[in-house]
Amino acid sequence: RCRSRAFARDELFSDVLAFPPGAPLRRHPLMRDGGLISQDRASCAVAHAAALPRGWDVVDGCAAPGKKSTHLAAKLAEAEA
């Protein structure tokens, strides 16, 4: 949890940033341009819990709007790098 006015790196998920409640993120350029995606911590846990091996293809048949899928794709791309 982020208790200050600034953001912090999540203590469990190193690729997740925690922002305080009510942080005005919707107007931030990174949010508008897709550089940051807002989702709750439990949703972020999905990509970490899946722990897919390198080279796997994934189909998410329930993706709407696809934030967990986007996070999972980023994790897979990170594994490929």
Side-chain angles (χ1 to χ4, degrees):
R1 294 215 157 220
C2 185
R3 290 182 172 77
S4 71
R5 297 187 73 181
F7 68 91
R9 185 177 302 268
D10 188 272
E11 66 265 11
L12 293 178
F13 310 121
S14 64
D15 62 335
V16 173
L17 300 175
F19 291 87
L25 296 175
R26 293 193 188 278
R27 292 173 291 188
H28 193 282
L30 285 172
M31 289 290 286
R32 286 195 313 256
D33 298 339
L36 286 176
I37 296 173
S38 173
Q39 69 180 3
D40 63 39
R41 190 177 192 209
S43 295
C44 293
V46 172
H48 292 270
L52 297 175
R54 175 185 251 184
W56 273 42
D57 293 324
V58 177
V59 174
D60 184 351
C62 300
K67 292 179 180 182
K68 286 189 264 328
S69 297
T70 300
H71 189 192
L72 187 55
K75 296 289 292 172
L76 287 170
E78 181 181 283
E80 295 290 325

Coordinates of all heavy atoms in Angstrom, one line a residue:
R1 N 0.8 -1.2 0.0 CA 0.0 0.0 0.0 C 0.9 1.2 0.0 O 1.9 1.3 0.6 CB -0.9 0.0 1.2 CG -1.9 -1.1 1.2 CD -3.1 -0.7 1.9 NE -4.1 -1.5 1.3 CZ -5.3 -1.2 1.0 NH1 -5.7 0.0 1.1 NH2 -6.1 -2.0 0.5
C2 N 0.3 2.3 -0.6 CA 1.1 3.5 -0.7 C 0.4 4.5 0.2 O -0.8 4.9 0.0 CB 1.0 4.0 -2.1 SG 2.0 5.5 -2.4
R3 N 1.1 4.8 1.3 CA 0.5 5.7 2.3 C 0.9 7.2 2.2 O 0.4 8.0 2.8 CB 0.8 5.2 3.7 CG 0.1 3.9 4.0 CD 0.4 3.4 5.4 NE -0.4 2.3 5.8 CZ -0.2 1.1 5.4 NH1 0.8 0.8 4.5 NH2 -1.0 0.1 5.7
S4 N 1.9 7.4 1.3 CA 2.4 8.8 1.2 C 1.6 9.4 0.0 O 0.8 8.8 -0.6 CB 3.9 8.8 0.9 OG 4.2 8.3 -0.3
R5 N 2.0 10.6 -0.3 CA 1.4 11.3 -1.5 C 2.1 10.9 -2.8 O 1.6 11.2 -3.9 CB 1.5 12.8 -1.3 CG 0.7 13.3 0.0 CD 0.7 14.7 0.0 NE -0.2 15.2 -1.0 CZ -0.5 16.4 -1.3 NH1 0.1 17.4 -0.6 NH2 -1.3 16.8 -2.2
A6 N 3.3 10.3 -2.7 CA 4.0 9.9 -3.9 C 3.8 8.4 -4.2 O 3.2 7.7 -3.4 CB 5.5 10.1 -3.7
F7 N 4.2 8.0 -5.3 CA 4.0 6.5 -5.6 C 5.2 5.7 -5.0 O 6.2 6.3 -4.7 CB 3.9 6.3 -7.1 CG 5.2 6.6 -7.9 CD1 6.1 5.6 -8.1 CD2 5.5 7.9 -8.4 CE1 7.3 5.8 -8.8 CE2 6.6 8.1 -9.1 CZ 7.5 7.1 -9.3
A8 N 5.0 4.4 -5.0 CA 6.0 3.5 -4.4 C 6.0 2.2 -5.2 O 4.9 1.9 -5.8 CB 5.7 3.2 -3.0
R9 N 7.1 1.5 -5.3 CA 7.1 0.2 -5.9 C 6.4 -0.8 -5.0 O 6.7 -0.8 -3.8 CB 8.6 -0.2 -6.2 CG 8.7 -1.5 -6.9 CD 10.1 -1.8 -7.2 NE 10.8 -0.8 -7.9 CZ 10.9 -0.8 -9.3 NH1 10.4 -1.7 -10.0 NH2 11.6 0.2 -9.9
D10 N 5.6 -1.6 -5.5 CA 4.9 -2.6 -4.7 C 5.9 -3.6 -4.1 O 6.9 -4.0 -4.8 CB 3.9 -3.4 -5.6 CG 3.0 -4.3 -4.8 OD1 3.4 -5.5 -4.6 OD2 1.9 -3.9 -4.4
E11 N 5.7 -4.0 -2.8 CA 6.7 -4.8 -2.2 C 6.6 -6.3 -2.7 O 7.6 -7.0 -2.5 CB 6.5 -4.8 -0.6 CG 5.2 -5.4 -0.1 CD 4.1 -4.3 0.1 OE1 4.2 -3.2 -0.3 OE2 3.1 -4.7 0.7
L12 N 5.6 -6.7 -3.3 CA 5.5 -8.1 -3.8 C 5.8 -8.2 -5.3 O 6.3 -9.2 -5.8 CB 4.1 -8.7 -3.5 CG 3.7 -8.9 -2.1 CD1 2.3 -9.5 -2.0 CD2 4.7 -9.9 -1.5
F13 N 5.3 -7.2 -6.1 CA 5.4 -7.2 -7.5 C 6.3 -6.1 -8.0 O 5.9 -4.9 -8.0 CB 4.1 -7.1 -8.1 CG 3.1 -8.1 -7.6 CD1 1.9 -7.7 -7.0 CD2 3.3 -9.5 -7.6 CE1 1.0 -8.5 -6.5 CE2 2.4 -10.4 -7.1 CZ 1.3 -9.9 -6.5
S14 N 7.6 -6.4 -8.4 CA 8.5 -5.3 -8.7 C 8.2 -4.5 -9.9 O 8.7 -3.4 -10.1 CB 9.9 -5.9 -8.9 OG 9.9 -6.8 -10.0
D15 N 7.3 -5.0 -10.8 CA 6.9 -4.2 -11.9 C 5.6 -3.4 -11.7 O 5.0 -2.9 -12.7 CB 6.8 -5.1 -13.2 CG 5.7 -6.2 -13.0 OD1 5.4 -6.5 -11.9 OD2 5.2 -6.7 -14.0
V16 N 5.1 -3.3 -10.5 CA 3.9 -2.7 -10.2 C 4.2 -1.5 -9.3 O 4.9 -1.5 -8.3 CB 2.9 -3.6 -9.4 CG1 1.7 -2.9 -8.9 CG2 2.5 -4.8 -10.3
L17 N 3.6 -0.3 -9.6 CA 3.7 0.9 -8.9 C 2.4 1.1 -8.1 O 1.3 0.9 -8.6 CB 3.9 2.1 -9.8 CG 5.2 2.0 -10.6 CD1 5.3 3.2 -11.5 CD2 6.4 2.0 -9.7
A18 N 2.5 1.5 -6.8 CA 1.3 1.8 -6.0 C 1.2 3.3 -5.8 O 2.2 4.0 -5.6 CB 1.5 1.1 -4.6
F19 N 0.0 3.8 -6.1 CA -0.3 5.2 -5.9 C -1.3 5.4 -4.8 O -2.1 4.5 -4.6 CB -0.9 5.7 -7.2 CG 0.1 5.8 -8.4 CD1 0.3 4.7 -9.2 CD2 0.8 6.9 -8.6 CE1 1.2 4.7 -10.2 CE2 1.8 7.0 -9.6 CZ 2.0 5.9 -10.4
P20 N -1.3 6.5 -4.1 CA -2.2 6.7 -3.0 C -3.7 6.8 -3.6 O -3.9 7.2 -4.7 CB -1.8 8.0 -2.4 CG -1.0 8.7 -3.5 CD -0.4 7.6 -4.3
P21 N -4.6 6.5 -2.7 CA -6.0 6.6 -3.2 C -6.3 8.1 -3.6 O -5.8 9.0 -3.0 CB -6.8 6.3 -1.9 CG -5.9 5.5 -1.1 CD -4.5 6.0 -1.4
G22 N -7.0 8.2 -4.7 CA -7.4 9.5 -5.2 C -6.3 10.2 -6.0 O -6.5 11.4 -6.4
A23 N -5.2 9.5 -6.3 CA -4.2 10.2 -7.1 C -4.7 10.5 -8.5 O -5.4 9.7 -9.1 CB -3.0 9.2 -7.2
P24 N -4.5 11.7 -8.9 CA -5.1 12.2 -10.2 C -4.3 11.7 -11.4 O -3.6 12.4 -12.1 CB -5.0 13.7 -10.1 CG -3.7 13.9 -9.2 CD -3.7 12.8 -8.3
L25 N -4.5 10.4 -11.7 CA -3.7 9.8 -12.7 C -4.4 9.9 -14.1 O -3.7 9.8 -15.1 CB -3.5 8.3 -12.4 CG -2.6 8.0 -11.2 CD1 -2.5 6.5 -10.9 CD2 -1.2 8.6 -11.4
R26 N -5.7 9.9 -14.1 CA -6.4 9.9 -15.4 C -5.9 11.0 -16.4 O -6.0 10.8 -17.6 CB -7.9 10.0 -15.2 CG -8.4 8.7 -14.5 CD -9.9 8.7 -14.6 NE -10.5 7.7 -13.8 CZ -10.6 6.4 -14.1 NH1 -10.2 6.0 -15.3 NH2 -11.1 5.5 -13.3
R27 N -5.5 12.1 -15.9 CA -5.1 13.2 -16.8 C -3.6 13.1 -17.1 O -3.1 13.9 -17.9 CB -5.4 14.5 -16.1 CG -6.9 14.7 -16.0 CD -7.2 16.0 -15.3 NE -6.8 15.6 -13.9 CZ -7.0 16.4 -12.8 NH1 -7.6 17.5 -13.0 NH2 -6.7 16.0 -11.6
H28 N -2.8 12.2 -16.5 CA -1.4 12.2 -16.7 C -1.1 11.7 -18.2 O -1.8 10.8 -18.7 CB -0.8 11.2 -15.7 CG 0.7 11.3 -15.7 ND1 1.5 10.8 -16.6 CD2 1.5 12.0 -14.8 CE1 2.8 11.1 -16.4 NE2 2.8 11.8 -15.3
P29 N -0.2 12.3 -18.8 CA 0.1 11.9 -20.2 C 0.5 10.4 -20.4 O 0.1 9.8 -21.4 CB 1.4 12.7 -20.6 CG 1.3 13.9 -19.7 CD 0.7 13.4 -18.4
L30 N 1.1 9.8 -19.4 CA 1.4 8.4 -19.6 C 0.2 7.5 -19.5 O 0.1 6.5 -20.2 CB 2.4 7.9 -18.4 CG 3.8 8.3 -18.6 CD1 4.7 8.0 -17.4 CD2 4.4 7.7 -19.9
M31 N -0.8 7.9 -18.8 CA -2.1 7.2 -18.8 C -2.9 7.4 -20.1 O -3.4 6.5 -20.6 CB -3.0 7.7 -17.6 CG -2.5 7.3 -16.2 SD -2.7 5.5 -15.9 CE -4.4 5.4 -15.7
R32 N -2.9 8.6 -20.6 CA -3.6 8.9 -21.8 C -2.9 8.2 -23.0 O -3.6 7.7 -23.9 CB -3.6 10.4 -22.1 CG -4.5 11.2 -21.2 CD -4.8 12.6 -21.8 NE -3.6 13.3 -22.1 CZ -3.0 14.2 -21.4 NH1 -3.5 14.6 -20.3 NH2 -1.9 14.8 -21.8
D33 N -1.6 8.0 -23.0 CA -0.9 7.4 -24.1 C -0.7 5.9 -23.9 O -0.1 5.3 -24.8 CB 0.5 8.1 -24.3 CG 0.4 9.6 -24.6 OD1 -0.7 10.0 -25.1 OD2 1.4 10.3 -24.4
G34 N -1.1 5.4 -22.8 CA -1.0 3.9 -22.6 C 0.3 3.5 -22.0 O 0.6 2.3 -21.9
G35 N 1.1 4.4 -21.6 CA 2.4 4.0 -20.9 C 2.2 3.4 -19.5 O 3.0 2.7 -19.1
L36 N 1.1 3.9 -18.9 CA 0.7 3.3 -17.6 C -0.7 2.8 -17.7 O -1.5 3.4 -18.4 CB 0.7 4.4 -16.5 CG 2.1 4.8 -16.0 CD1 1.8 6.0 -15.0 CD2 2.8 3.7 -15.3
I37 N -0.9 1.7 -17.1 CA -2.3 1.1 -17.1 C -2.7 0.9 -15.6 O -1.9 0.4 -14.8 CB -2.3 -0.3 -17.8 CG1 -1.9 -0.1 -19.2 CG2 -3.6 -1.0 -17.6 CD1 -1.7 -1.4 -20.0
S38 N -3.9 1.4 -15.3 CA -4.4 1.3 -13.9 C -5.2 0.0 -13.7 O -6.1 -0.3 -14.5 CB -5.3 2.5 -13.7 OG -5.9 2.5 -12.5
Q39 N -4.8 -0.7 -12.7 CA -5.5 -1.9 -12.3 C -5.2 -2.2 -10.8 O -4.2 -1.8 -10.3 CB -5.3 -3.1 -13.2 CG -4.0 -3.8 -13.1 CD -4.0 -5.0 -14.1 OE1 -4.9 -5.2 -14.8 NE2 -2.9 -5.7 -14.1
D40 N -6.1 -2.8 -10.1 CA -5.9 -3.1 -8.7 C -4.8 -4.2 -8.5 O -4.5 -4.9 -9.5 CB -7.2 -3.4 -8.0 CG -7.9 -4.7 -8.5 OD1 -7.1 -5.7 -8.8 OD2 -9.1 -4.7 -8.6
R41 N -4.4 -4.3 -7.3 CA -3.3 -5.2 -7.0 C -3.6 -6.6 -7.3 O -2.8 -7.4 -7.7 CB -2.9 -5.0 -5.5 CG -1.6 -5.6 -5.2 CD -1.3 -5.3 -3.7 NE 0.0 -5.7 -3.4 CZ 0.4 -6.0 -2.2 NH1 -0.5 -6.0 -1.2 NH2 1.6 -6.4 -1.9
A42 N -4.8 -7.0 -6.9 CA -5.3 -8.4 -7.2 C -5.2 -8.8 -8.6 O -4.8 -9.9 -9.0 CB -6.7 -8.6 -6.6
S43 N -5.6 -7.8 -9.5 CA -5.5 -8.1 -10.9 C -4.1 -8.2 -11.4 O -3.7 -9.0 -12.3 CB -6.2 -7.0 -11.7 OG -7.6 -7.0 -11.4
C44 N -3.2 -7.4 -10.8 CA -1.8 -7.5 -11.1 C -1.2 -8.9 -10.8 O -0.2 -9.4 -11.4 CB -1.0 -6.4 -10.4 SG -1.4 -4.8 -11.0
A45 N -1.7 -9.5 -9.7 CA -1.2 -10.8 -9.3 C -1.4 -11.9 -10.3 O -0.6 -12.9 -10.3 CB -1.9 -11.2 -8.0
V46 N -2.3 -11.8 -11.2 CA -2.6 -12.8 -12.2 C -1.4 -13.1 -13.0 O -1.0 -14.3 -13.2 CB -3.8 -12.4 -13.1 CG1 -4.0 -13.4 -14.2 CG2 -5.1 -12.4 -12.2
A47 N -0.7 -12.1 -13.6 CA 0.4 -12.3 -14.4 C 1.6 -12.9 -13.7 O 2.3 -13.7 -14.2 CB 0.9 -10.9 -15.0
H48 N 1.7 -12.6 -12.4 CA 2.8 -13.1 -11.6 C 2.5 -14.6 -11.2 O 3.4 -15.4 -11.2 CB 3.0 -12.3 -10.4 CG 3.6 -10.9 -10.7 ND1 4.9 -10.7 -10.8 CD2 3.0 -9.8 -11.1 CE1 5.1 -9.4 -11.2 NE2 3.9 -8.9 -11.3
A49 N 1.2 -14.9 -10.9 CA 0.8 -16.2 -10.5 C 0.9 -17.2 -11.7 O 1.3 -18.3 -11.5 CB -0.6 -16.2 -9.9
A50 N 0.7 -16.7 -12.9 CA 0.7 -17.6 -14.1 C 2.1 -18.1 -14.3 O 2.3 -19.2 -14.7 CB 0.2 -16.8 -15.3
A51 N 3.1 -17.2 -14.1 CA 4.5 -17.6 -14.3 C 4.8 -18.4 -15.5 O 5.3 -19.5 -15.4 CB 5.0 -18.3 -13.0
L52 N 4.3 -17.9 -16.6 CA 4.4 -18.7 -17.9 C 5.9 -18.8 -18.4 O 6.6 -17.8 -18.3 CB 3.6 -18.0 -19.0 CG 2.1 -18.0 -18.7 CD1 1.4 -17.2 -19.8 CD2 1.6 -19.4 -18.6
P53 N 6.3 -19.9 -18.9 CA 7.6 -20.1 -19.4 C 7.8 -19.3 -20.7 O 6.9 -19.0 -21.4 CB 7.8 -21.6 -19.6 CG 6.5 -22.2 -19.3 CD 5.5 -21.2 -18.9
R54 N 9.1 -19.1 -21.0 CA 9.5 -18.4 -22.2 C 9.0 -19.1 -23.4 O 9.0 -20.3 -23.5 CB 11.0 -18.3 -22.2 CG 11.6 -17.8 -23.4 CD 13.1 -17.9 -23.4 NE 13.6 -16.6 -23.2 CZ 14.8 -16.3 -23.1 NH1 15.7 -17.2 -23.2 NH2 15.2 -15.0 -23.0
G55 N 8.5 -18.3 -24.4 CA 8.0 -18.8 -25.7 C 6.6 -19.3 -25.7 O 6.1 -19.7 -26.8
W56 N 5.9 -19.2 -24.6 CA 4.5 -19.6 -24.7 C 3.6 -18.6 -25.4 O 3.9 -17.4 -25.3 CB 3.9 -19.8 -23.3 CG 4.2 -21.1 -22.7 CD1 5.3 -21.9 -22.8 CD2 3.3 -21.9 -21.9 NE1 5.2 -23.0 -22.1 CE2 3.9 -23.1 -21.5 CE3 2.0 -21.7 -21.4 CZ2 3.4 -24.0 -20.8 CZ3 1.4 -22.6 -20.6 CH2 2.1 -23.8 -20.3
D57 N 2.5 -19.0 -26.0 CA 1.5 -18.2 -26.6 C 0.3 -18.3 -25.7 O 0.0 -19.3 -25.1 CB 1.1 -18.7 -28.0 CG 2.2 -18.5 -29.0 OD1 2.9 -17.5 -28.9 OD2 2.3 -19.3 -29.9
V58 N -0.4 -17.2 -25.5 CA -1.5 -17.1 -24.6 C -2.7 -16.6 -25.3 O -2.6 -15.6 -26.0 CB -1.2 -16.2 -23.4 CG1 -2.4 -16.1 -22.4 CG2 0.0 -16.8 -22.6
V59 N -3.9 -17.2 -25.1 CA -5.2 -16.7 -25.6 C -6.0 -16.4 -24.4 O -6.3 -17.3 -23.5 CB -5.9 -17.7 -26.5 CG1 -7.2 -17.2 -26.9 CG2 -5.0 -17.9 -27.7
D60 N -6.5 -15.2 -24.2 CA -7.4 -14.8 -23.1 C -8.8 -14.6 -23.7 O -9.1 -13.6 -24.4 CB -6.9 -13.5 -22.4 CG -7.8 -13.2 -21.2 OD1 -8.8 -13.8 -21.0 OD2 -7.4 -12.2 -20.5
G61 N -9.6 -15.6 -23.6 CA -11.0 -15.6 -24.2 C -12.0 -14.7 -23.4 O -13.1 -14.6 -23.8
C62 N -11.5 -14.2 -22.3 CA -12.4 -13.3 -21.5 C -11.9 -11.9 -21.4 O -12.4 -11.2 -20.5 CB -12.6 -13.9 -20.1 SG -13.2 -15.6 -20.1
A63 N -11.0 -11.5 -22.2 CA -10.4 -10.2 -22.1 C -11.3 -9.1 -22.5 O -11.8 -9.0 -23.6 CB -9.1 -10.1 -22.9
A64 N -11.6 -8.2 -21.5 CA -12.4 -7.0 -21.7 C -12.3 -6.1 -20.5 O -12.8 -6.5 -19.5 CB -13.9 -7.3 -22.0
P65 N -11.5 -5.1 -20.5 CA -10.9 -4.5 -21.6 C -9.5 -5.0 -21.9 O -8.8 -4.6 -22.8 CB -10.8 -3.0 -21.2 CG -10.7 -3.1 -19.7 CD -11.5 -4.3 -19.3
G66 N -9.0 -6.0 -21.1 CA -7.7 -6.6 -21.4 C -6.5 -6.2 -20.6 O -5.4 -6.3 -21.1
K67 N -6.7 -5.6 -19.5 CA -5.6 -5.1 -18.7 C -4.7 -6.2 -18.2 O -3.5 -6.1 -18.2 CB -6.1 -4.2 -17.5 CG -6.7 -2.9 -18.0 CD -7.2 -2.1 -16.8 CE -7.8 -0.8 -17.3 NZ -8.2 0.0 -16.1
K68 N -5.3 -7.3 -17.7 CA -4.6 -8.4 -17.2 C -3.8 -9.1 -18.4 O -2.6 -9.4 -18.2 CB -5.5 -9.5 -16.5 CG -5.9 -9.0 -15.1 CD -6.6 -10.1 -14.4 CE -8.1 -10.2 -14.4 NZ -9.0 -9.1 -14.5
S69 N -4.4 -9.1 -19.5 CA -3.7 -9.7 -20.7 C -2.5 -8.8 -21.1 O -1.5 -9.3 -21.5 CB -4.7 -9.8 -21.9 OG -5.7 -10.7 -21.6
T70 N -2.7 -7.5 -21.0 CA -1.6 -6.6 -21.3 C -0.5 -6.7 -20.4 O 0.7 -6.8 -20.8 CB -2.2 -5.1 -21.3 OG1 -3.2 -5.0 -22.3 CG2 -1.1 -4.1 -21.6
H71 N -0.8 -6.9 -19.1 CA 0.3 -7.1 -18.1 C 1.0 -8.4 -18.3 O 2.2 -8.5 -18.3 CB -0.4 -7.1 -16.7 CG 0.6 -7.0 -15.6 ND1 0.3 -7.2 -14.3 CD2 2.0 -6.9 -15.6 CE1 1.4 -7.2 -13.5 NE2 2.4 -7.0 -14.3
L72 N 0.2 -9.5 -18.7 CA 0.8 -10.8 -18.9 C 1.7 -10.7 -20.2 O 2.8 -11.2 -20.2 CB -0.3 -11.8 -19.1 CG 0.2 -13.2 -19.3 CD1 1.0 -13.7 -18.1 CD2 -1.1 -14.1 -19.4
A73 N 1.3 -10.0 -21.2 CA 2.1 -9.8 -22.4 C 3.4 -9.1 -22.1 O 4.4 -9.5 -22.6 CB 1.3 -9.1 -23.5
A74 N 3.3 -8.1 -21.2 CA 4.5 -7.4 -20.8 C 5.5 -8.3 -20.1 O 6.7 -8.3 -20.3 CB 4.2 -6.2 -20.0
K75 N 4.9 -9.1 -19.2 CA 5.8 -10.1 -18.5 C 6.4 -11.1 -19.4 O 7.6 -11.4 -19.3 CB 5.0 -10.8 -17.4 CG 4.4 -10.0 -16.3 CD 5.4 -9.5 -15.3 CE 6.0 -10.6 -14.6 NZ 7.2 -10.2 -13.8
L76 N 5.7 -11.6 -20.4 CA 6.2 -12.5 -21.4 C 7.3 -11.8 -22.3 O 8.4 -12.4 -22.5 CB 5.1 -13.1 -22.3 CG 4.2 -14.1 -21.6 CD1 3.0 -14.4 -22.5 CD2 5.0 -15.4 -21.3
A77 N 7.1 -10.6 -22.7 CA 8.1 -9.8 -23.4 C 9.3 -9.6 -22.6 O 10.5 -9.7 -23.1 CB 7.5 -8.5 -23.9
E78 N 9.2 -9.4 -21.3 CA 10.3 -9.2 -20.4 C 11.1 -10.5 -20.3 O 12.4 -10.5 -20.3 CB 9.8 -8.8 -19.0 CG 10.8 -8.6 -18.0 CD 10.1 -8.3 -16.7 OE1 9.6 -7.1 -16.5 OE2 10.0 -9.1 -15.8
A79 N 10.5 -11.6 -20.3 CA 11.1 -12.9 -20.3 C 11.9 -13.2 -21.6 O 12.9 -13.9 -21.5 CB 10.1 -14.0 -20.0
E80 N 11.4 -12.7 -22.7 CA 12.1 -12.9 -24.0 C 13.3 -12.0 -24.1 O 14.2 -12.4 -24.9 CB 11.1 -12.6 -25.1 CG 9.9 -13.6 -25.2 CD 10.3 -14.9 -25.7 OE1 11.2 -15.1 -26.5 OE2 9.7 -15.9 -25.2
A81 N 13.3 -10.9 -23.4 CA 14.5 -10.0 -23.6 C 15.7 -10.5 -23.0 O 15.8 -11.3 -22.2 CB 14.1 -8.6 -22.9

